[in-house]
Amino acid sequence: MRFWGVRGSIPAPGANTRRYGGNTPCVEVRCGDELLIFDLGTGARSLGHALVAKKKPVRGSIFISHYHYDHLQGLPFFGPMFLPTSALDVYGPARNGQSVKQLLSGQMMPPYFPVTAEGVFRAKLTYTDLAATQTLTLGPAQVRTIELNHPGGNMGYRVECQGRSLVYATDLEHGTEMDAAFYAFAQDADVLIYDAMYTEDEYHGRTGPARTGWGHSTWEAAVQAANEAGVKKLVLFHHDPSRDDAGMDRLLRQVRKHRPDAIAARESLVIKL
């Protein structure tokens, strides 16, 4: 897996976020020849450039967790979408009576965007609505789904391939009856990618405004989830856009007192299983 965007809510480029990166979520997963892409935040632009630069037809599957802007901002700038040689299967949950195709197309229209998806995308595209507790088989990979606690809904994914497993769980808020189901979903995964946007002090408003109900989790909850599920490696993800590199270093040091295996996702990080 390779991380192309790791930041949450809004891009945060600049000198103070250069080491971890300022792009919003996009994760590339390779399983044999199978390409899986999770979310199309601003990090998807660089991923698209890398795929197009290989000068080979792009074949792959895109999984959208939910439709907040930080997870879709890279869609109109994802290079393979504009090439007739590309073949992409797009998966995501239906929401509010709209299909994944309708939801993605809806963000690319005037006056919010100058061109429509139907007008400029030339790739061979298929769209599939997903439900929670669904299992897909894509070549040697199996992808399972789960509904997570987030305003408007959010889908988590588990990928299993050739005896290895990872869980992608961005944008979830802990502390509800849904936690137990998630722990079971993530049980014994090799890698857990988990929303660790806040500290407990930030979340409960002991420093700044309370973030309860905002749909995000804390590093303390990430550690608990990793422990409850018995995962081998915890990857902190969806970093707060106001947390600079030095702040991320401090946060990671705290996490490693409880989970020495933990790492904080950063752009260009590659994890091989």
Side-chain angles (χ1 to χ4, degrees):
M1 69 198 76
R2 179 168 180 156
F3 294 86
W4 294 90
V6 301
R7 194 69 54 170
S9 297
I10 191 171
N16 293 329
T17 56
R18 186 175 294 125
R19 281 193 289 112
Y20 287 90
N23 281 301
T24 58
C26 181
V27 178
E28 173 191 9
V29 175
R30 296 279 182 169
C31 179
D33 293 329
E34 203 71 30
L35 168 63
L36 311 177
I37 299 168
F38 292 90
D39 280 330
L40 293 175
T42 56
R45 179 174 177 269
S46 294
L47 170 58
H49 288 168
L51 293 172
V52 171
K54 294 180 180 179
K55 300 187 183 301
K56 296 180 180 178
V58 179
R59 305 281 189 269
S61 300
I62 298 170
F63 292 88
I64 304 298
S65 62
H66 64 302
Y67 303 100
H68 291 164
Y69 280 148
D70 52 329
H71 295 256
L72 299 182
Q73 289 162 327
L75 170 64
F77 308 99
F78 185 58
M81 288 289 192
F82 299 88
L83 300 178
T85 54
S86 301
L88 298 166
D89 300 317
V90 183
Y91 299 89
R95 300 292 186 200
N96 301 322
Q98 291 187 293
S99 67
V100 59
K101 181 178 181 179
Q102 290 171 319
L103 288 161
L104 293 180
S105 298
Q107 68 137 9
M108 286 181 63
M109 62 174 56
Y112 308 109
F113 203 76
V115 294
T116 65
E118 291 78 5
V120 295
F121 288 166
R122 296 290 179 264
K124 301 176 183 67
L125 299 172
T126 65
Y127 296 88
T128 302
D129 296 341
L130 294 178
T133 69
Q134 192 167 343
T135 301
L136 303 172
T137 299
L138 303 170
Q142 277 198 334
V143 181
R144 294 167 50 200
T145 65
I146 188 173
E147 188 71 31
L148 301 176
N149 180 37
H150 190 69
N154 179 53
M155 189 155 282
Y157 296 99
R158 178 174 180 135
V159 181
E160 299 189 11
C161 180
Q162 299 172 347
R164 301 291 187 268
S165 56
L166 72 92
V167 173
Y168 179 77
T170 183
D171 293 67
L172 78 162
E173 187 165 356
H174 61 291
T176 73
E177 69 282 354
M178 298 173 75
D179 287 352
F182 176 74
Y183 300 156
F185 180 80
Q187 194 68 42
D188 298 326
D190 289 290
V191 173
L192 170 59
I193 302 169
Y194 191 96
D195 180 335
M197 193 164 181
Y198 303 124
T199 67
E200 284 290 320
D201 285 344
E202 292 167 344
Y203 180 74
H204 290 290
R206 294 189 283 267
T207 57
R211 280 81 163 182
T212 53
W214 289 16
H216 299 287
S217 198
T218 66
W219 70 256
E220 292 92 337
V223 168
Q224 181 178 354
N227 290 342
E228 293 281 353
V231 303
K232 295 180 178 64
K233 181 176 288 294
L234 171 63
V235 180
L236 311 177
F237 191 69
H238 204 274
H239 309 320
D240 190 323
S242 65
R243 204 179 311 282
D244 61 14
D245 289 336
M248 286 301 307
D249 290 341
R250 290 192 294 270
L251 186 148
L252 184 58
R253 285 195 294 269
Q254 289 296 315
V255 175
R256 284 180 169 169
K257 294 177 182 178
H258 306 272
R259 289 282 306 203
D261 64 284
I263 59 176
R266 64 181 187 275
E267 288 178 30
S268 299
L269 172 66
V270 175
I271 298 176
K272 295 184 179 181
L273 299 179

